[in-house]
Amino acid sequence: MSETAESKAASSAKAETSKVTEVKAKAPVIPLRIDKAAAAIARTTEFDLRPRALRHLAVKLSFILCVVIPTLCGAIYFAFIASDRYAAGAGFSVRSMDSSVAGGDFLGAITGLSSVGTTTTDSYILLEYLRSRELLESLREDIDFQRAYGGEDVDFFYRLDVSAPIEDIVAYWDWMISTSYDNTSSILTFEVQAFSPEDAERVADLIVGYSQNLINRLSEQARNDAVEFAKKEVASAELRLKIIREEMRDFRSTSNAIDPTASAAAQVELVAGIERELIDLRSRLGSMLTSLDPDAPSVRQIRQQIESLEQELRLKQNEVGVRTSDDPSVGSNLSGLLADYERLKVEQEFAQQAYATALSSLERARMEADRQQRFLAVFKSPSLPQQAIYPQRLLNTGLVFLVALILWSIGVLIAYSIRDHMR
C-alpha cells in the first residue's frame, strides 16, 4: 500500500514537471541587450584588426619616404657633393662734406632715421645697385664670371648655366650676394660668395670700386644739376642785359644825345633864362613908356628885343615839350626822347640788378654743391677668406629634416581628417 502511494506521488511530480516544460516552451524568449553589444564589439574587432595594421604600416612607410629619405639625401649632398663657398665682404657709408651733418647723428640715433639728408636716398640706391643687372654686367666684363661660378668643380645645384638668359643670371647673383643697411648709423654692408677665396676677394674689391664710382657719379650729377640751373639763369639775365644795352645804343645814335636828361635840363635852364630876360625887358619897356612916346627909337628897340626873345622862347619851349599851341605834335620831341630814355634806363638798371643777382646765385649754388658733395667712406675693406663658411652642412641637414617632418605631419593630419569625415 505504501508502494502504491509512492508511485502516485512520483507520477504527479512527473506530470507537474511536464506542465512546466510545456509552459516554458510556449512562452517567448527575450535576449538581453548586453549580448548584442558584446557581439557587435566582437564583430568590429574581428573585421578591423587587419585595416588598422595596414594604416600603421602606411604611416611608417610614408615617414620613411617623406622624412627619412629626403634627410638622408640632403645629408649626402651637403656632406659629399656640395662645393665649398667662400665669403668676402665690406662695409661702408655714404657721407657728405657738409659739416652740419655731424651734429645730427644724435637725432638720427633717437629717431631711428638717418640724419644725413639725401645720403639716405643714395644709400638705398646703392643697396639696390648691388643686386642690379648693371653691376653684374660690369663684373662679367672685368672677371671671368663663367669660370668663377660655372666651372666643372662647382656642384650641379650651384653651377651657373652658360646658356642661361641674363634674367636667370641676375637671379643667380641674388643668391651669391647678401646686403644689409642700418638706418640709425647709415652703414651698408654686403657679403659675396664664390667657390675660391681669390674669386671672393676679387669680386668684393670690384664691388667696392663700382660703388665708389656710382656715388661719385650721383654726386657729380646732383652738383651739375644744381649749378646748371643757376648757369641758365645767368645766361638769361646776361642776354636780357645785352638786348637792353643794344636798344640804348640805338636810341643814342638815332637821337644824337648821350644823355637826354642832361640836355633837357640845359634846355629848361635856357628857357628860364629867356623868361627872366623877357621879364626884365618888359619891366624896362613899361618904365620907358611912362616918360617916352611909343614911337621913340629906344622903345622900338626894346620891343624888337622882346619879340625876338618871345620867338626864341617859343622855339625852346617846343624843344623842351611845353605845349604852346593846340597842335598835339608840337612840343613832343624832347618829351618823347625823355620818356624812351627813362624807360630804357629803368630796364637797363633792372637787367643789371637781375644779372648781378644771377651771378650771386650761381656762386652760392657752386658753394652749396661743393659743400654737399658725397663720398663713400669704406671702413671695412674686403680681405682674403681662409675658411669656407658655406654651406653650413649640419644646419642645412637639420633644416631639411625639419621641413620634411612638418610637411609629412601636415599630410598625415589631412589624411586622417579625410578618413574621419568619410565614415
Side-chain angles (χ1 to χ4, degrees), residues 136-175:
L136 183 60
E137 294 288 354
S138 300
L139 281 176
R140 296 178 70 184
E141 292 177 359
D142 293 337
I143 64 171
D144 190 356
F145 197 81
Q146 182 59 40
R147 179 201 59 79
Y149 291 95
E152 294 296 332
D153 55 339
V154 181
D155 66 88
F156 64 90
F157 189 74
Y158 274 90
R159 186 182 304 156
L160 179 62
D161 188 6
V162 182
S163 60
I166 186 63
E167 290 78 11
D168 293 343
I169 299 178
V170 172
Y172 175 84
W173 173 248
D174 194 55
W175 284 8

Side-chain angles (χ1 to χ4, degrees), residues 17 39 96 118 133 148 207 216 231 246 264-265 268 282 286 353 361-362 377 385 412:
T17 302
S96 175
T118 56
R133 176 176 175 176
I207 291 175
N216 293 336
K231 285 183 177 180
E246 290 289 337
V268 170
R282 287 170 181 169
Q353 293 177 359
S361 299
L362 176 60
V412 170

